[in-house]
Amino acid sequence: MKVLIVSRRRFALEAEEKRALYCWADRLGGTTAGNSGFETEASLMLKLLILQQCGGGEVHRSRWGKPFVVDQPFRWSLSHDRALACVAMSPAPVGIDVEQIVPLSEAHLAALDHAAPEALGRWVRQSATRRQSMLRFALAWTATEAALKASGEGFAVKGALSEEDFRSWRYESKMAEGCLITCACSQLPRLSLQFVGREHLARALEAMA
């Protein structure tokens, strides 16, 4: 499964490139009013690459907020945080999530308890070291969110993901630049990571002109 990644450390657009990208915002699902910066620009760029591979069209959202393109030839899922933005493409339903490896707070654990199967929260709390708890949380959180995205619901549905639903997906995770990337799919994802940048944006804008 191909995962395209935009890295904050490697991605800095010139003013003209930003203007060209934002001209596509409406067809790419729009942006939050007044919202700009890495996460917005990286997400727009990844959706533009998806649109290019779909042969054009427009990005829509399901009633749960999952982005899609009408008659898309593959399934895809998008995630971003302050360091990375990622999109996964698969012939089968897929979800992706990226999370920085950071020290845990009670807020992290409370959010996990709300969203994840109870067994995952216990597993994180049973960590022997601080580092292990950080890694276990990132794995539990990204797997849970990826599963919810793969189902099409995301966090729009209040309540934890059931253990049965959690076990219905196959998972694979990889580290990149201090973040954990996890995909959930109906078949083993076997992730292939590819960093993309300004040159990919330029080619996409030219192809879509």
Side-chain angles (χ1 to χ4, degrees):
M1 179 187 299
K2 183 181 290 187
V3 176
L4 304 181
I5 305 173
V6 181
S7 166
R8 178 188 287 272
R9 293 199 296 112
R10 312 182 194 189
F11 186 67
L13 299 181
E14 301 291 343
E16 185 175 343
E17 293 170 319
K18 290 183 181 183
R19 284 194 295 271
L21 180 58
Y22 277 98
C23 283
W24 283 85
D26 287 344
R27 284 182 62 181
L28 298 174
T31 63
T32 304
N35 194 14
S36 62
F38 167 74
E39 292 179 45
T40 297
E41 291 158 12
S43 295
L44 287 174
M45 175 181 158
L46 290 173
K47 287 189 284 187
L48 180 64
L49 295 178
I50 290 294
L51 208 61
Q52 178 192 5
Q53 295 193 39
C54 288
E58 186 174 341
V59 176
H60 301 276
R61 288 189 177 273
S62 72
R63 67 189 184 114
W64 302 117
K66 185 177 180 68
F68 69 95
V69 178
V70 174
D71 297 327
Q72 60 191 18
F74 52 83
R75 307 293 184 91
W76 56 282
S77 180
L78 180 71
S79 180
H80 59 77
D81 70 359
R82 290 172 295 176
L84 298 178
C86 313
V87 66
M89 295 171 284
S90 170
V94 62
I96 190 171
D97 191 50
V98 57
E99 183 80 11
Q100 287 185 296
I101 309 298
V102 297
L104 298 192
S105 67
E106 284 303 317
H108 285 101
L109 295 172
L112 185 65
D113 290 340
H114 172 76
E118 185 178 341
L120 287 183
R122 289 199 306 269
W123 180 62
V124 173
R125 288 179 169 86
Q126 290 167 357
S127 302
T129 65
R130 180 170 175 266
R131 177 64 177 173
Q132 186 181 65
S133 70
M134 291 162 58
L135 291 172
R136 284 189 176 187
F137 172 83
L139 184 57
W141 180 264
T142 55
T144 297
E145 186 161 355
L148 287 166
K149 288 182 176 181
S151 73
E153 295 179 345
F155 286 106
V157 179
K158 185 176 181 180
L161 181 71
S162 72
E163 187 166 345
E164 180 181 0
D165 287 342
F166 182 81
R167 291 181 180 277
S168 68
W169 301 98
R170 306 288 298 278
Y171 302 89
E172 185 173 343
S173 299
K174 286 195 174 183
M175 292 285 295
E177 298 192 2
C179 297
L180 189 71
I181 299 168
T182 298
C183 281
C185 191
S186 54
Q187 56 194 21
L188 187 62
R190 300 192 182 282
L191 305 185
S192 172
L193 307 185
Q194 177 186 350
F195 283 87
V196 294
R198 294 170 60 187
E199 67 279 10
H200 300 86
L201 173 61
R203 289 199 291 267
L205 289 169
E206 182 179 358
M208 298 289 285

